[in-house]
């Protein structure tokens, strides 16, 4: 299992590096593809992956990515409203085939997976986006790795004993602090080839620490959904890791937070 997980992890890293290094359409299509697969995994949990509600959600995701590619952000909210209306139309005209919870989950899958993951592409197209996108993975995967190490060494107090018995408060603190330190070190390297009017190492440290903190919510949130539906993994797409949502659970939350920190706080365009 460990060997399988290691090999899959290496392949994932290679794919991520190539995808994010070249950027542009490659990053766009890979991000869109991951989003659609993630939506399928989530909807499959509640056996809605082939339903009319699911088709509407997938269609909404595709249209959203088209708007994103064409920089037509002003139409994103109208699109969301249109999707919601269509979901309700199916709900009422096929009543009682679906429950209102099914409508909510279909709409949730669009926002939770497609909208939030799209921030990977949004960050990549920012100024110095190739460097900025690294912050997402330092925050999410860096926090996860360092939290595990800190938890094994110092963990005593359970953070969420029912949902994730192995996670500790000490591990979480270690992960957040560790992510911040990774951001600081990365900023010290990046300042040699990025011209910025702000303290780059400090900004990266704060961004990664905040991202690391938020990634904990993403990780536990994905676990909570699996517990609700009594499944171990969302799929077996990635050997040793599970599905897209199993591997990208923390990134789903980290990417939009870092995007808006870069845009609203740092002022990147």
């Amino acid at each position: 299992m460990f060997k399988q997980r290691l090999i899959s992890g290496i392949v994932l890293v290679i794919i991520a590096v190539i995808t994010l290094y070249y950027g542009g359409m490659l990053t766009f299509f890979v991000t869109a593809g991951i989003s659609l697969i993630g939506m399928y995994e989530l909807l499959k949990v509640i056996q809605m992956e082939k339903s009319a509600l699911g088709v509407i959600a997938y269609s909404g995701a595709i249209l959203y990515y088209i708007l994103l590619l064409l920089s037509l952000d002003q139409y994103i909210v109208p699109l969301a409203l249109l999707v919601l209306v269509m979901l309700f139309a199916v709900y009422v005209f096929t009543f009682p085939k679906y429950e209102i919870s099914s409508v909510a989950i279909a709409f949730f899958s669009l926002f939770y997976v497609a909208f939030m993951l799209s921030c990977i592409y949004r960050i990549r197209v920012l100024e110095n986006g190739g460097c900025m996108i690294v912050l997402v993975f330092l925050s999410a995967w860096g926090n996860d790795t360092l939290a595990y190490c800190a938890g094994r060494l110092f963990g005593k107090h359970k953070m969420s004993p029912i949902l994730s018995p192995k996670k500790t408060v000490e591990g979480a603190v270690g992960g957040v602090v560790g992510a911040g330190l990774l951001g600081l070190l990365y900023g010290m390297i990046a300042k040699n080839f990025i011209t910025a009017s702000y303290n780059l190492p400090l900004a990266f440290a704060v961004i990664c620490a905040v991202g690391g903190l938020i990634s904990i919510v993403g990780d536990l949130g994905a676990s909570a959904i699996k517990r609700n539906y009594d499944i171990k993994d969302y799929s077996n797409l990635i050997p040793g890791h599970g599905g897209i949502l199993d591997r990208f659970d923390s990134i789903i939350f980290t990417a939009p937070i870092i995007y808006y920190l870069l845009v609203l706080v740092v002022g990147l365009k």
Side-chain angles (χ1 to χ4, degrees):
M1 174 63 79
F2 175 76
K3 182 179 179 180
Q4 185 183 55
R5 185 179 178 86
L6 177 62
I7 293 173
S8 297
I10 293 173
V11 172
L12 280 176
V13 170
I14 292 174
I15 293 174
V17 169
I18 293 174
T19 299
L20 298 174
Y21 175 79
Y22 284 102
M25 296 300 289
L26 179 60
T27 300
F28 173 83
F29 281 114
V30 171
T31 305
I34 289 174
S35 297
L36 289 171
I37 295 171
M39 289 178 65
Y40 179 86
E41 290 179 346
L42 181 59
L43 292 173
K44 188 176 182 180
V45 169
I46 55 173
Q47 299 180 342
M48 281 178 51
E49 74 278 12
K50 297 179 181 179
S51 68
L53 297 179
V55 171
I56 292 172
Y58 303 140
S59 301
I62 293 171
L63 289 174
Y64 165 71
Y65 271 97
I66 291 174
L67 294 179
L68 186 61
L69 180 64
L70 298 176
S71 299
L72 297 174
D73 286 14
Q74 68 271 29
Y75 295 107
I76 291 176
V77 172
L79 172 63
L81 293 173
L82 175 62
V83 171
L84 186 58
V85 169
M86 292 180 66
L87 290 173
F88 261 90
V90 171
Y91 171 57
V92 297
F93 289 118
T94 62
F95 191 85
K97 182 176 181 179
Y98 300 105
E99 297 183 355
I100 187 61
S101 59
S102 299
V103 175
I105 293 173
F107 191 75
F108 171 74
S109 73
L110 173 62
F111 187 86
Y112 172 61
V113 185
F115 282 25
M116 294 177 76
L117 267 182
S118 71
C119 288
I120 293 176
Y121 172 73
R122 286 181 176 273
I123 293 173
R124 184 60 183 86
V125 298
L126 290 175
E127 179 184 357
N128 296 310
C131 295
M132 299 303 172
I133 195 64
V134 176
L135 299 174
V136 174
F137 297 92
L138 287 178
S139 299
W141 293 350
N143 172 80
D144 186 48
T145 301
L146 294 172
Y148 173 79
C149 295
R152 289 295 298 268
L153 291 172
F154 311 108
K156 292 182 179 179
H157 301 88
K158 302 295 183 182
M159 183 172 63
S160 183
I162 297 177
L163 180 58
S164 188
K166 294 182 179 180
K167 293 187 184 298
T168 63
V169 174
E170 292 81 3
V173 172
V176 172
V177 172
L181 290 175
L182 287 176
L184 179 67
L185 293 173
Y186 179 59
M188 293 173 68
I189 297 171
K191 70 178 182 180
N192 294 315
F193 49 88
I194 293 179
T195 301
S197 59
Y198 52 90
N199 188 318
L200 200 66
L202 179 60
F204 280 11
V206 173
I207 288 173
C208 282
V210 173
L213 181 63
I214 298 300
S215 74
I216 297 173
V217 178
D219 183 24
L220 291 175
S223 296
I225 294 173
K226 289 190 288 187
R227 288 294 183 91
N228 281 155
Y229 291 93
D230 194 27
I231 59 172
K232 183 179 183 295
D233 295 315
Y234 284 99
S235 76
N236 58 359
L237 179 66
I238 308 172
H241 292 268
I244 289 295
L245 294 183
D246 296 293
R247 184 66 275 180
F248 287 82
D249 51 5
S250 56
I251 289 177
I252 286 175
F253 270 71
T254 305
I257 293 300
I258 290 181
Y259 170 72
Y260 284 109
L261 284 174
L262 291 171
V263 172
L264 300 177
V265 179
V266 177
L268 295 187
K269 297 181 180 179

